[in-house]
Amino acid sequence: MQSDFYKYQGTGNDFIVIDNRNKQVHLSQEQIAHLCHRRFGIGADGLMLLNLQEGYDFEMKYYNSDGAEGSMCGNGGRCLTQFAQDCGILQSHFNFIASDGTHEAIIEKAGWVKLKMNNIQTIDEQDGAFILNTGSPHYIKPVTQLNELDVFSEGQKIRYNTQFKKEGINVNFVEEQPDGKLMVRTYERGVEDETYSCGTGVTAAALCNKNALIGFNVVSIITKGGELSVEFEKTDNQHFQNVWLCGPATFVFKGTIAL
């Protein structure tokens, strides 16, 4: 079986994307893991299918690089929105369904894609770190000297500790920069390594920013793969609404591969 695929990336968070609006693509976990393998396959942090869904512009089906179906991926949602437009859904405002519910997305003239995330109702604090779910579960740990941190080893310790081992959690290390921007590095479950960027992770980091004020906020985020921003309205330390993840979503290449 031959399958056409497309490669997209959002600040270095890269994805294999397949147009499945004809419902002809059926992949096993082993096939997805093979396609995402960076030595024996195409190579990616995850794989997405663009599906049709009545009442929506499309459905987002996301799989982690280990082949298992994943929770919401923010950068993935932005890339799939750009892919939908590139595939001929010629509009700039989208309404789609993903694993965590309905999302709006806007393709701006400057080339950035804005993705509306779910409202946040609770943030748990634990030994100076924060735990919240922005479509995927995240652990936010403020640190210093982030550039020198062994994110793989330190992230793995937290992801596989007794509290999180069964379900897994994404681990984000966050350092505030002198200009007020946040630098974020993320160990992602499912990938089981540091990625160049994590959309739901930087969203979580922005919401936990101690400098965020009651009302409207814009937080600039630096990742290994580039810069993102998160816009949101803060009502109190536990409640956030109108949360938007904003950044580039870029086509890389397309091809055909035998499955």
Side-chain angles (χ1 to χ4, degrees):
M1 174 183 171
Q2 297 284 324
S3 178
D4 294 331
F5 70 89
Y6 299 79
K7 187 77 176 288
Y8 278 73
Q9 61 90 10
T11 53
N13 204 188
D14 60 338
F15 309 97
I16 300 164
V17 186
I18 298 175
D19 184 354
N20 192 39
R21 289 176 292 174
N22 60 9
K23 300 181 181 179
Q24 296 300 305
V25 178
H26 304 282
L27 299 171
S28 68
Q29 181 171 346
E30 291 74 18
Q31 286 175 313
I32 295 170
H34 173 74
L35 291 173
C36 291
H37 198 287
R38 295 193 182 277
R39 296 293 180 267
F40 302 110
I42 299 163
D45 292 328
L47 181 145
M48 295 184 290
L49 299 178
L50 179 73
N51 293 334
L52 290 177
Q53 180 64 48
E54 186 176 355
Y56 299 91
D57 295 311
F58 60 87
E59 178 195 30
M60 172 185 175
K61 183 68 79 171
Y62 179 76
Y63 299 89
N64 291 320
S65 64
D66 62 4
E69 187 169 346
S71 50
M72 181 56 187
C73 175
N75 285 329
R78 295 189 309 96
C79 285
L80 196 63
T81 298
Q82 184 63 62
F83 177 68
Q85 189 186 69
D86 294 344
C87 282
I89 306 178
L90 300 179
Q91 56 199 60
S92 58
H93 198 140
F94 292 81
N95 186 43
F96 70 90
I97 185 79
S99 62
D100 64 336
T102 301
H103 290 270
E104 293 179 60
I106 300 170
I107 299 179
E108 298 185 316
K109 291 182 179 179
W112 274 30
V113 179
K114 297 179 62 174
L115 175 67
K116 190 172 186 182
M117 311 297 284
N118 288 338
N119 294 340
I120 300 300
Q121 306 295 332
T122 182
I123 297 177
D124 295 324
E125 188 169 355
Q126 185 179 102
D127 299 324
F130 304 92
I131 301 170
L132 67 160
N133 193 308
T134 52
S136 293
H138 283 277
Y139 184 98
I140 305 296
K141 184 174 182 179
V143 298
T144 58
Q145 298 182 320
L146 179 53
N147 282 327
E148 285 72 50
L149 184 70
D150 185 343
V151 170
F152 176 80
S153 296
E154 296 304 314
Q156 191 177 61
K157 288 177 187 177
I158 296 169
R159 183 261 187 264
Y160 282 103
N161 71 18
T162 55
Q163 181 179 359
F164 302 118
K165 182 177 181 178
K166 183 177 179 181
E167 299 298 329
I169 198 165
N170 300 287
V171 183
N172 306 267
F173 301 96
V174 183
E175 182 179 37
E176 184 179 359
Q177 304 300 292
D179 59 3
K181 295 180 180 180
L182 298 182
M183 180 180 290
V184 180
R185 294 177 65 186
T186 303
Y187 177 98
E188 282 198 52
R189 66 170 187 175
V191 178
E192 305 308 335
D193 202 349
E194 181 180 5
T195 56
Y196 272 59
S197 176
C198 174
T200 54
V202 301
T203 301
L207 300 182
C208 295
N209 180 17
K210 63 179 175 30
N211 295 323
L213 304 173
I214 301 298
F216 178 74
N217 291 265
V218 179
V219 179
S220 295
I221 310 285
I222 301 168
T223 71
K224 287 183 72 174
E227 193 162 324
L228 297 159
S229 70
V230 180
E231 303 173 359
F232 58 91
E233 294 179 17
K234 178 178 180 178
T235 56
D236 58 42
N237 289 334
Q238 293 289 315
H239 298 88
F240 303 81
Q241 60 188 12
N242 293 322
V243 182
W244 292 83
L245 171 66
C246 314
T250 306
F251 167 72
V252 182
F253 65 87
K254 64 180 179 180
T256 302
I257 192 167
L259 298 174

